[in-house]
Amino acid sequence: MSFHLKRVGIIGSGVMGSGIAAQLANAGVASLILDIAPASLTKEEEALGLSLSDRKVKNRITEANLQQLMRAKPAQLFEPDLIRWIEAGNIDDDFERLSEVDWIIEAVPERLDLKRATFERLEKILKPSQIISSNTSGISLREMLEGRSRAFRERFLVTHFFNPPRYMRLLEVIPCPETDPEVVATIAKIGARILGKGIVYARDTPNFIANRIGLAEFTRVLHTVEEKNYTVEEVDALTGKLIGRPKSGFFRLMDIVGLDTLINNSKYLAESLQDDPVARYLRLPSYIERMMELNLRGEKTQAGFYKRVGSGAKKEIHSLDLKSFEYHPQAKPSLPSLETAKGIEDLPARLRAMVKSTDRGGEFVWNLLSSTLDYAATVAPSISEDILNIDRAMRWGFNWQLGPFQIWDALGVRDVADRLKSESRPVPGLVEELLSKGYHSFYQVHDHHPTYFDFSVKEHRALDPQPGVIELAHVRLNPTHIIRETEVASLLDLGDGVACIEFHSKMNTLSSTVIDLMLSSLDLVEEQFEAVLIANQGENFSAGANLVQLLLAAEEQDWDLIDRNIARFQNTSMKIKYLSKPVVACPHGLTLGGAVEFSLHCHRLRAAAETYMGLVECGIGLIPGGAGTKEMAIRFGEMIPSDIEVNRLPFLQRVFEMIGTARVSGSARDAQIMGLLRDHDSWSMNRDCQIHDAKNIALSLVGQGFRPLREKPVKVLGVEGYSFLKVALRNLHVAGHITDHDVVVGEKLAYVLCGGNVPSGTEVTERYLLEIEREAFLQLFGEPRTQDRIRHTLKTGKPLRN
């Protein structure tokens, strides 16, 4: 099948339709989005003398939804200007234009009659080369396609995006029996490579995979709360990061989703699954009905399980008493199991500790997890081709750290099965089959390769590598690929002459141990490899330098130790920059402080599209001290044309403000606009493909005859720029926008960016800039107010304005 995606048509401009259009725009794909034309004029339109036939009126609903998209928080577009990729229209005037697009996505409201009517109309204009899909969250394909021709069915499938489409990785793909396999493969490739989605294949069953299992767990929690009298605070403390779920916790998530959405989904599932094991839980408890009567639907009504009260500094979040339906200040749960588990870093170990606890917390977690594991294993063969799709669906669609079958393994399949039997609860047939075959887990490692239990053949089989994906965890399964390793960092062999420096400390912070491994690894790369990546697949690339080490040294006034550590950090950055082999970094997620400094010195960056990157040191009373300020002093000069005379001060001010305000990018594209990525840097929409893509870039640099960089003089603005920035700081201070200490930090930053007290236009060396950068960093670290900021940030995770 020959298919080239140039333009997509979307029918329905609501939250999902406009969100899908935004993600297409992020990927550089144009779309035409249509909605119904209004049935009446607004007062404003009447005052302007408009009629229902005017184009402006007929596009009003679509345009209004796109304006709402632009205001959405978090942002749905990488940058506002990308809205130009989305064309608004209406189904009266523009429906036939859908014959011009390559892929049509139906995103009308979840009503079977509306979908059928849309497909009937589409069939009259559909061309043989087009693909059509529905974004339904669970309506049966068989019911939607009633009356459609075989030719239509061959081009049709469900593509279920999760909300919001930019941030939720899951894309469930569900073909009907007649769907052309090439259509399925094409959409999967587009979803994965262009839109950055994790593809999960589901069967045509109610609510498919993620919502089926997720909703079953949600409704079970609601009934448990009623039966066992758990409080809102207790449940959220027990259902967040503690058990590998989103940190918001259960009820906070319900407020975000909206109670009406939960009710509609559970009602549909209850009608479709009357004989299902969870059918009785889908009839929601009485307190949910009472909340609906009181209009306590969540964030959309500013009140749900939680409510903000007060204003300004006195603003608080109160929680709902599910018996009196009155709000009260949140009460910290008193659960011994909770306090014990919080001290356990490893998630599987934490889960085992929780389910073994005998207090209310342990009882709740065991009942929740065991019921979900039981249900997932019971329905798995009917909703999915394998356990892989189920685990991926729950990780990508509900942000679970572990999927249900991974949790089975974490708790011990035999242990869970035995406990179910001891409680006179049935053990799922799939689990009995696994154990009867002599296996003890759903996932194993055989001959350095991962395997999984394939329930279709009742045997373990090798996990097929995903196209375009390198998983470092799988690389590490073969000991010969681990060149060097400490508790916090490793050097891996990725093959083809490419090495990888991987961080795996807590939050991937950069300690002196990490620096030691990096320096020795870079030496080894020069001797034995063709190129090196700096990459990891943790939740975030790196939170920056390990401030605890430096703060302890400062409290002991060991300034020589701090000086040596900063010098080594700077030397590592410089070694990266001038290495004789290409260095490609792979920032993703949070990439802060020192991690940005290392990235700035790499020859190429292959970021993830969702990269939140920033030199944030000024927020804690410091300046970038690992050669970052020096490098930005060079970078801002690169933005200025060399062949014409221009005023360099606005370019300087832009970089100064970016660092001084500790600005963090909203995406990789935003980081490029900020100057943290160069024009020749790039990003992967699918983070799973990032390391594979970076390896290819490194090898292409080798193939092009990579030559190391040579140091050259840096032209600085000197006293002219320094004076200019000091005036700007003074004005901000007088206006009350910054504190006394902000001025101190800002002046140090300005001094280094401008090259110190030298005449404007002076050419200095990088080493000179490194020296004044390190001196400024040390002076700021000696400031008590800076140390107070660091302590506060380490304790609370928030900045201190002192």
Side-chain angles (χ1 to χ4, degrees), residues 168 209-210 212-218 220 239-240 243-247 250 253 347 368-369 371-373 375-376 390-407:
M168 298 304 294
I209 295 177
R212 175 80 169 265
I213 294 174
L215 191 62
E217 181 172 279
F218 284 176
R220 191 180 289 108
T239 55
I243 62 169
R245 300 289 199 268
K247 65 180 180 180
F250 176 80
L253 181 60
L347 177 58
L368 171 66
L369 293 182
S371 298
T372 296
L373 299 188
Y375 187 65
I390 293 175
D391 280 345
R392 289 167 180 165
M394 301 317 296
R395 295 200 314 268
W396 295 339
F398 280 76
N399 287 331
W400 292 9
Q401 290 183 45
L402 299 175
F405 294 97
Q406 292 172 307
I407 299 175

Side-chain angles (χ1 to χ4, degrees), residues 347-385:
L347 177 58
R350 194 162 67 242
L351 292 176
R352 290 191 292 272
M354 281 302 302
V355 300
K356 289 177 182 176
S357 300
T358 56
D359 68 350
R360 279 169 57 80
E363 179 186 2
F364 179 91
V365 172
W366 164 250
N367 288 335
L368 171 66
L369 293 182
S370 63
S371 298
T372 296
L373 299 188
D374 181 2
Y375 187 65
T378 300
V379 301
S382 65
I383 67 174
S384 176
E385 298 174 356

Side-chain angles (χ1 to χ4, degrees), residues 29 66 71 91 132 158 173 224 262 271 329 337 366 449 480 512 531 576 618 621 717:
V29 178
L66 291 180
R71 294 190 294 269
I91 60 174
I132 179 169
V158 164
V173 173
T224 301
L262 173 68
E271 293 171 352
S337 60
W366 164 250
H449 293 286
T480 63
S512 58
I576 289 170
C618 287
L717 280 174

Side-chain angles (χ1 to χ4, degrees), residues 20 46 78 82 109 131 173 234 240 535 597 608:
I20 293 168
E46 289 178 349
F78 289 168
L82 289 175
I131 294 174
V173 173
E234 285 177 328
E597 295 183 275

Side-chain angles (χ1 to χ4, degrees), residues 785-797:
R785 287 174 295 185
T786 287
Q787 294 176 26
D788 288 343
R789 287 189 179 191
I790 295 173
R791 289 189 195 95
H792 185 270
T793 300
L794 289 172
K795 182 178 180 179
T796 68

Side-chain angles (χ1 to χ4, degrees), residues 92-324:
D92 289 353
D93 298 326
D94 303 303
F95 197 87
E96 291 190 359
R97 292 181 58 200
L98 292 172
S99 64
E100 305 167 3
V101 306
D102 306 297
W103 175 18
I104 301 171
I105 302 173
E106 170 271 306
V108 304
E110 290 285 79
R111 281 177 42 191
L112 184 58
D113 60 331
L114 291 178
K115 294 181 184 294
R116 284 178 174 172
T118 301
F119 299 148
E120 181 179 6
R121 190 174 176 187
L122 273 174
E123 187 159 18
K124 297 173 183 177
I125 65 167
L126 199 64
K127 293 182 178 179
S129 61
Q130 290 179 292
I131 294 174
I132 179 169
S133 69
S134 171
N135 186 57
T136 179
S137 60
I139 296 179
S140 166
L141 278 79
R142 178 181 53 80
E143 293 179 342
M144 287 193 296
L145 292 176
E146 187 175 299
R148 301 281 62 78
S149 68
R150 183 176 183 85
F152 187 94
R153 292 166 180 260
E154 288 174 347
R155 318 297 301 173
F156 184 88
L157 71 170
V158 164
T159 51
H160 179 209
F161 291 82
F162 273 59
N163 188 37
R166 171 180 169 182
Y167 298 99
M168 298 304 294
R169 290 197 59 211
L170 179 59
L171 176 59
E172 289 182 318
V173 173
I174 306 96
C176 64
E178 298 90 348
T179 306
D180 184 339
E182 289 192 26
V183 168
V184 179
T186 297
I187 287 300
K189 185 176 180 180
I190 290 170
R193 293 298 293 179
I194 297 178
L195 299 180
K197 297 300 169 188
I199 306 300
V200 160
Y201 300 95
R203 302 191 194 280
D204 184 17
T205 55
N207 277 35
F208 310 130
I209 295 177
N211 280 342
R212 175 80 169 265
I213 294 174
L215 191 62
E217 181 172 279
F218 284 176
T219 55
R220 191 180 289 108
V221 169
L222 294 175
H223 281 279
T224 301
V225 167
E226 183 176 54
E227 295 163 6
K228 302 291 185 178
N229 293 317
Y230 285 95
T231 67
V232 168
E233 295 97 324
E234 285 177 328
V235 171
D236 275 4
L238 293 167
T239 55
K241 294 194 77 171
L242 178 85
I243 62 169
R245 300 289 199 268
K247 65 180 180 180
S248 58
F250 176 80
F251 283 121
R252 180 73 187 100
L253 181 60
M254 285 296 96
D255 277 354
I256 295 170
V257 172
L259 212 55
D260 48 355
T261 301
L262 173 68
I263 290 172
N264 291 337
N265 286 340
S266 61
K267 181 179 179 181
Y268 171 76
L269 202 56
E271 293 171 352
S272 306
L273 297 172
Q274 297 182 16
D275 299 324
D276 194 78
V278 300
R280 72 184 184 93
Y281 293 107
L282 296 173
R283 293 184 290 275
L284 300 179
S286 58
Y287 67 86
I288 298 297
E289 295 179 9
R290 181 59 178 155
M291 289 179 68
M292 290 296 288
E293 291 172 3
L294 296 171
N295 203 30
L296 306 179
R297 305 184 181 202
E299 286 197 347
K300 61 185 69 176
T301 59
Q302 285 79 54
F305 295 102
Y306 293 96
K307 180 180 180 180
R308 292 181 180 87
V309 299
S311 60
K314 295 183 178 180
K315 183 180 289 186
E316 296 179 351
I317 298 178
H318 287 192
S319 56
L320 183 68
D321 184 310
L322 297 176
K323 299 228 177 262
S324 67

